[in-house]
């Protein structure tokens, strides 16, 4: 059932490194921020508006998050310190193609 699937997903998302088994970039970053106990309402608003961050619309992000210039810079620094692809830590070597 969907409820069972959600329970399994929640357990998988608790594995190390934080962010594994996330369904989106926003969810991956949120999981990592929660692990660092840094997922407050302002950070949640920033994560919910990643498209504005990609557009570098800092004025609107500050308004949505309810923060000033210094706070938004700190938040952006924290986002940059996160790993958007935590599963790559398990990648080893290169993939070899087997030719028949």
């Amino acid at each position: 059932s969907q409820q069972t699937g959600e329970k399994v997903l929640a357990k998988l998302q608790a594995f190390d490194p934080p962010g594994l088994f996330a369904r989106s970039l926003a969810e991956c970053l949120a999981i990592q921020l929660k692990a660092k106990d840094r997922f407050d309402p302002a950070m949640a608003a920033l994560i919910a508006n990643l498209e504005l961050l990609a557009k570098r619309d800092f004025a609107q992000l500050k308004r949505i998050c309810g923060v000033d210039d210094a706070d938004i810079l700190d938040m952006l620094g924290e986002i940059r310190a996160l790993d958007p692809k935590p599963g790559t830590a398990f990648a080893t070597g290169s993939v070899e193609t087997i030719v028949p």
Side-chain angles (χ1 to χ4, degrees):
S1 70
Q2 184 173 355
Q3 185 180 15
T4 303
E6 292 292 327
K7 286 180 183 178
V8 170
L9 181 62
K11 287 189 186 272
L12 291 173
Q13 288 177 343
F15 288 174
D16 277 337
L20 287 179
F21 300 101
R23 295 169 283 189
S24 67
L25 175 61
E27 187 176 38
C28 177
L29 299 176
I31 290 169
Q32 291 178 49
L33 289 166
K34 288 175 184 174
K36 293 182 175 187
D37 197 29
R38 185 56 186 100
F39 194 70
D40 57 15
M43 192 63 84
L46 178 64
I47 296 296
N49 292 286
L50 288 177
E51 68 280 352
L52 293 176
L53 181 57
K55 293 179 185 176
R56 300 178 132 329
D57 190 352
F58 300 122
Q60 191 167 355
L61 279 173
K62 287 190 297 187
R63 184 180 55 75
I64 291 170
C65 296
V67 296
D68 60 9
D69 289 336
D71 289 336
I72 196 77
L73 289 175
D74 289 342
M75 291 167 67
L76 293 175
E78 289 183 52
I79 294 292
R80 284 187 192 109
L82 300 176
D83 185 1
K85 297 180 180 180
T88 58
F90 300 109
T92 58
S94 61
V95 176
E96 296 181 27
T97 305
I98 300 173
V99 179

